[in-house]
Structure formats: structure tokens, C-alpha cells
């Protein structure tokens, strides 16, 4: 199986699914990442260009991501990018990767870039309906990203409600934390949600929900069962 992570920013792929990615690649699956705003020019504590590129490559290698499709769309401004441009960039990644499963942001995330990434991804998912030569996507998963998904305070939006749990074990959460540590300037001291302690706590909580010791949670938004 081939999995495609579609995210707004570098580090989102690890925050949302880092341990799951590692588990999938250890099982022989292929994982690619499509990062719409890979340059994150507006990010606080952003390293130099070559350092950021090195961080992305090192983090990806640690958890097993095979290939990255890096866009240069402006971060914290994806709402100003024509929707079609985002959709077409994701469609290209879907075609080139041969993805079976897509994992992306939940549409109720408070981060505006996450919202527009999710919406564009949902539109790109239907590519097979317009092109008969494209393999249909079998599943779409929404992930949770600490410091964004838990800040769903809009009462009109349906928040992240997990219905899928991937058992990751203690090794998985430690691998996720190690991959995040390779991103300079991203992690924060506890009690910030983007801290080692918060990530371990969430993995324990999601694990308890599923009856295992550690887990990452997802919400399946689409599933297609072939004949």
C-alpha cells in the first residue's frame, strides 16, 4: 500500500502521524509526503533555508518517508491562494505517488492553513471521477495535530472525533518525538501542547481509548472497498 500525507507545513506530518508513518514503513508500506508550504517563511524561530531543508530530509528519513512533494505556497496565507492551484498541486502528488490512502488535516483545525489544505485535499480525492486513467483513492484519514486540532472552539464546526486508532507502542511515540526534535525551533517546553510530555500524554490517552498502551488517532472520512 502507498500512503500520501498531505500537510500544510513541515513538521505537521510528524505531529499528526509520525509514529504511524514509522510503523507503516517498518511493515513494508510506502509513505510519501506532500507539503504545501514547505518554506514556511512566516514561521517564528525559522532556521535558514539550507537548515530547514536539512531538517525536513532528516526527519523524513528517520520515520521512513520515501519522497516529498514540496510546494512554495505562502504559509498563514493559503486562504489567499486560488483553491484550484492547491488542488492541482495535490492531484499531481496523488498521480506521481500512486497513493492508495491519503492522510491530511481535519477541517475543523484552528490553523487556517490546515483548513484550506484539508478542503483542497478533499477536492483532489475525486480526481478518479474526472480521469478514468487514475487509480481511485481507497481511504481518506483526518489526523490530529497538537496546538491546532484541540483548539476547535467554533461551535458550528464538528471537531475531530477519532474512529480509527493505530497502536504505536512506546517505541513509536519515542520515534515520533525524535523526528520532531530534528526540526529546529518547533518544539516547546511543557505545558505547551507541542512538547514531549504532551505528545506522550496524548499517545497514552488515545491508547487507553483503544485498549492499547500507546496509539495515534484518526478520523476516517472516506473509505472505498473494491470488489
Amino acid at each position: 500500500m502507498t500512503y500520501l500525507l498531505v500537510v500544510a507545513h513541515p513538521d505537521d506530518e510528524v505531529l499528526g502521524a509520525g509514529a504511524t508513518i514509522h510503523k507503516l514503513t517498518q511493515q513494508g508500506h510506502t509513505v510519501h509526503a506532500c507539503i504545501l508550504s514547505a518554506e514556511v517563511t512566516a514561521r517564528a524561530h525559522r532556521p535558514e533555508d539550507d537548515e530547514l531543508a536539512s531538517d525536513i530530509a532528516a526527519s523524513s528519513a528517520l520515520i521512513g518517508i520515501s519522497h516529498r512533494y514540496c510546494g512554495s505556497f505562502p504559509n498563514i496565507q493559503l486562504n489567499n491562494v486560488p483553491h484550484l492551484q492547491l488542488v492541482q498541486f495535490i492531484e499531481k502528488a496523488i498521480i506521481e505517488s500512486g497513493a492508495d490512502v491519503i492522510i491530511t488535516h481535519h477541517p475543523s483545525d484552528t490553523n487556517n492553513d490546515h483548513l484550506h489544505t484539508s478542503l483542497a485535499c478533499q477536492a483532489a480525492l475525486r480526481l478518479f471521477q474526472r480521469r478514468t486513467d487514475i487509480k481511485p483513492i481507497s481511504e481518506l484519514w483526518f489526523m490530529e495535530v497538537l496546538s491546532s486540532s484541540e483548539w476547535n472552539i467554533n461551535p458550528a464546526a464538528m471537531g475531530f472525533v477519532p474512529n480509527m486508532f493505530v497502536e504505536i507502542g512506546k517505541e513509536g511515540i519515542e520515534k515520533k518525538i525524535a523526528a520532531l526534535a530534528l526540526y529546529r525551533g518547533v518544539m516547546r517546553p511543557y505545558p505547551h501542547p507541542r512538547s514531549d510530555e504532551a505528545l506522550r500524554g496524548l499517545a497514552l490517552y488515545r491508547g487507553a481509548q483503544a485498549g492499547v498502551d500507546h496509539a495515534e488517532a484518526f478520523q476516517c472520512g472516506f473509505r472505498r472497498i473494491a470488489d
Side-chain angles (χ1 to χ4, degrees):
M1 294 277 283
T2 299
Y3 293 76
L4 177 65
L5 271 288
V6 181
V7 298
H9 316 111
D11 77 17
D12 287 337
E13 75 286 359
V14 187
L15 282 166
T20 297
I21 294 169
H22 178 254
K23 179 173 183 173
L24 290 170
T25 57
Q26 290 295 299
Q27 291 176 339
H29 300 288
T30 301
V31 179
H32 300 265
C34 174
I35 307 172
L36 296 185
S37 185
E39 297 174 359
V40 283
T41 53
R43 171 172 287 178
H45 312 294
R46 180 189 184 277
E48 297 296 322
D49 290 351
D50 58 340
E51 293 176 330
L52 177 59
S54 175
D55 293 352
I56 295 172
S59 182
S60 294
L62 184 63
I63 56 176
I65 292 174
S66 299
H67 184 77
R68 298 173 304 279
Y69 305 91
C70 294
S72 57
F73 299 105
N75 68 308
I76 322 301
Q77 298 182 59
L78 291 188
N79 58 306
N80 293 322
V81 177
H83 177 69
L84 181 59
Q85 290 184 19
L86 299 177
V87 173
Q88 289 177 336
F89 188 86
I90 297 169
E91 287 178 342
K92 184 178 179 181
I94 291 173
I95 294 169
E96 293 185 7
S97 67
D100 298 293
V101 178
I102 294 178
I103 306 173
T104 192
H105 296 286
H106 194 275
S108 71
D109 277 14
T110 194
N111 186 297
N112 192 259
D113 284 356
H114 292 192
L115 164 64
H116 288 279
T117 298
S118 184
L119 294 177
C121 198
Q122 292 172 59
L125 177 73
R126 300 179 300 153
L127 177 62
F128 72 92
Q129 292 181 325
R130 300 189 298 277
R131 290 192 41 186
T132 57
D133 60 320
I134 300 300
K135 176 178 63 174
I137 297 297
S138 61
E139 297 183 27
L140 171 68
W141 305 359
F142 296 122
M143 62 186 184
E144 61 178 335
V145 176
L146 274 181
S147 75
S148 181
S149 299
E150 79 276 17
W151 272 96
N152 170 37
I153 57 177
N154 179 357
M158 294 182 64
F160 177 80
V161 180
N163 55 19
M164 294 177 53
F165 299 86
V166 177
E167 183 177 4
I168 58 173
K170 186 174 182 180
E171 178 191 356
I173 186 59
E174 295 306 322
K175 185 70 70 170
K176 174 175 182 168
I177 289 170
L180 284 166
L182 294 172
Y183 276 111
R184 279 166 268 205
V186 164
M187 300 301 285
R188 301 284 184 271
Y190 186 77
H192 194 283
R194 209 163 58 245
S195 62
D196 294 358
E197 295 87 348
L199 289 167
R200 290 191 181 100
L202 180 62
L204 286 167
Y205 173 63
R206 294 308 189 193
Q209 283 186 291
V212 298
D213 60 350
H214 296 78
E216 281 183 327
F218 301 89
Q219 184 173 342
C220 184
F222 174 83
R223 188 178 188 191
R224 182 178 184 271
I225 300 176
D227 293 336

